[in-house]
Amino acid sequence: MTKSNTTKAVKTIAPSVSAQTLSYVSGKARSEENVKRAKAVSGMSMEKALAHYATLYPKGAKTHLNYDISKICSLKLG
């Protein structure tokens, strides 16, 4: 008995998912500070927005970004 080795061709498929960007929703943020930071990241991806928030809040960037998205809804992914 002989054993033959066969190999199958493997294709890798790159996902075609477009990066989601943040959009400013007017009338949601109450304070001027919240409006300014939400408008500043409108059109950015989550990664870029997080980097921008890190320049404003070195120790709480993710907290502030999540607050704007989830709590006051001044930003939405789209």
Side-chain angles (χ1 to χ4, degrees), residues 1 10 16 19 25 27 34 36 39 42-44 49 51 57 63 76 78:
M1 289 184 153
V10 177
S16 61
V25 179
N34 292 350
K36 283 182 183 179
K39 282 184 176 180
S42 185
M44 291 184 185
Y57 311 102
T63 304
K76 68 175 183 174

Side-chain angles (χ1 to χ4, degrees), residues 10 12 16 18 23 25 27-28 36 39 45 50 52 55 59 65 68-71 77:
V10 177
T12 56
S16 61
S18 61
S23 305
V25 179
K28 296 288 185 174
K36 283 182 183 179
K39 282 184 176 180
S45 67
L50 190 58
H52 176 75
T55 62
K59 294 187 178 181
L65 183 57
D68 288 347
I69 294 171
S70 302
K71 186 75 173 176
L77 281 171

